[in-house]
Amino acid sequence: MTIHFKESLIVSLAAFGLVAAVGATNAQNASAKSRVRVTSNVKLRTDATTRNVNFTGRAGLYTKASAFKSAKKVATTITLKDLARTNKSAKNVRAYRVARTNKGKVYYKVVTFDGRYRGWIYGGRSTANFAGGLKSYQTFQEGSLTNDMTTGTFQFANPGTANDNQTVTYKQPA
């Protein structure tokens, strides 16, 4: 009887060793850090005037979301602060895409009206409003109009054709 006990113990240890070896080869390396990935990347479909933004200077502009190691810096925070202070309409900014990562961060793809600066910037943790490196910006503020202004008909006296920044008239925006 003691011989059978020894044989069954040896067989059990061999089976346990085989299961442990198979489990060790199939186990995946666990990491404390999980990789950042984009879970959604969609075009903004709200009215274009609600997507006009200005830089806050708290985040840089990158080729990809700054959470990715392969992201290259397009503009520093200092450059973005300077763009935010300018009063040139060509330096206004519009957001046109939004991406969310698996870490819950939101990034907006933006472009200046002149097209010189384009890239991704950190936009907070919610898509409800702009935050992080962006803030909302009003490009047009309506003033008070007289009754003649609101009901009147207007016509150009001398439509210009030369592009001298003073007399030119366009059929649509340039």
Side-chain angles (χ1 to χ4, degrees), residues 57-141:
R58 286 184 273 182
L61 191 64
Y62 292 87
T63 56
K64 299 178 182 179
S66 60
F68 293 110
K69 291 181 181 179
S70 60
K72 305 277 188 259
K73 192 173 276 195
V74 174
T76 64
T77 56
I78 295 168
T79 303
L80 298 182
K81 282 181 184 179
D82 289 342
L83 287 172
R85 281 191 286 260
T86 188
N87 58 0
K88 295 182 180 181
S89 62
K91 301 301 180 192
N92 287 340
V93 184
R94 177 159 296 155
Y96 62 96
R97 289 194 78 80
V98 62
R100 182 180 292 277
T101 67
N102 60 330
K103 302 288 186 181
K105 293 184 177 182
V106 173
Y107 293 88
Y108 289 96
K109 188 153 190 185
V110 297
V111 63
T112 55
F113 283 13
D114 64 0
R116 184 166 177 207
Y117 295 97
R118 179 185 305 268
W120 291 91
I121 190 166
Y122 175 67
R125 293 201 166 264
S126 170
T127 57
N129 55 12
F130 296 108
L134 297 174
K135 61 182 176 183
S136 292
Y137 182 73
Q138 282 295 113
T139 56
F140 178 76
Q141 295 179 359

Side-chain angles (χ1 to χ4, degrees), residues 55 65 103 153:
F55 298 116
K103 302 288 186 181
T153 302

Side-chain angles (χ1 to χ4, degrees), residues 144-154:
S144 59
L145 301 174
T146 65
N147 192 33
D148 290 340
M149 290 177 173
T150 57
T151 59
T153 302
F154 299 92

